[in-house]
Structures are given as structure tokens and as C-alpha cells.
Amino acid sequence: MTASGTATVDDDLWSAIGDPTRRRMLDLLLTDGEGTATTLSQRLPVTRQAVAKHLGVLDRVGLVRAVPAGKEKRYRVDDEQLARAAAQLASVGSTWDARLQRIKRIAETIHQNQQD
């Protein structure tokens, strides 16, 4: 948490999640429980090599964990890191909700003063 009471946002984590292909990969891994670059590439409109690079990004930020399986690696979502990302998103959402409420009150005050 920061001094203002909001959770510290991990920019690398959110950069990784920001890519639509990586989000789709996470969805597939969550649904299937695990996958390899080959199995994921069969379900996505990108090459196996592109999938492998995306998995590398997700692995670096801790969203997936790789386990060697023959010539490939099997990837699973790291539930703890995903929960951390969800908590950050909730915190950021709450912060912005509060900011928007303040803006709304200011706008209402200005509008009310203009009517007086």
C-alpha cells in the first residue's frame, strides 16, 4: 500500500495483462488448467513462436509457471499472482470511483452556484 492507502500497481504485470492475446491465453489456461505453446497456438490466431514469446512475458511477471514436459513446457496460471493482479485492479477501481465522485460533487457545486 502507498501512503495514500492504495495498493502499489505493478506496471510490468499490467503491461503483460494489457495485451489481448495474453489475456486470451490466460483465459485458455484457466479453462483448461494447463497448456503448452503448441496447444495454445492451435487455439489462437498466432504462431507457436509468438505464443512462446507471450508465455515468456507472462512467466516473467509471474502470472504463469512452466514445468518441463518432454520437449516443451506446460504452463499453468499462478493463482496467487492472478489474485494479486485482481486486488490491484480492485484498488485502482476504488481509487478512481472516489475521484469521480469528487469530480461529480465539484461539478454539482459549480452548477448550483451558477443557478443562484
Side-chain angles (χ1 to χ4, degrees), residues 18-59:
D19 182 274
T21 300
R22 289 192 283 267
R23 285 195 308 273
R24 179 69 181 126
M25 290 170 64
L26 288 169
D27 286 340
L28 291 171
L29 291 171
L30 285 166
T31 299
D32 298 345
E34 66 180 17
T36 65
T38 300
T39 60
L40 290 169
S41 68
Q42 293 167 350
R43 298 175 67 189
L44 295 166
V46 294
T47 65
R48 185 200 172 287
Q49 290 77 14
V51 168
K53 287 182 181 182
H54 283 298
L55 286 168
V57 171
L58 293 172
D59 189 35

Side-chain angles (χ1 to χ4, degrees), residues 41-92:
S41 68
Q42 293 167 350
R43 298 175 67 189
L44 295 166
V46 294
T47 65
R48 185 200 172 287
Q49 290 77 14
V51 168
K53 287 182 181 182
H54 283 298
L55 286 168
V57 171
L58 293 172
D59 189 35
R60 275 192 301 282
V61 298
L63 282 169
V64 298
R65 296 288 174 228
V67 175
K71 293 181 180 180
E72 290 204 81
K73 295 178 183 177
R74 292 201 170 280
Y75 291 87
R76 300 184 73 105
V77 173
D78 184 300
D79 294 334
E80 188 176 309
Q81 185 71 331
L82 187 60
R84 182 174 161 251
Q88 285 181 19
L89 181 59
S91 176
V92 168

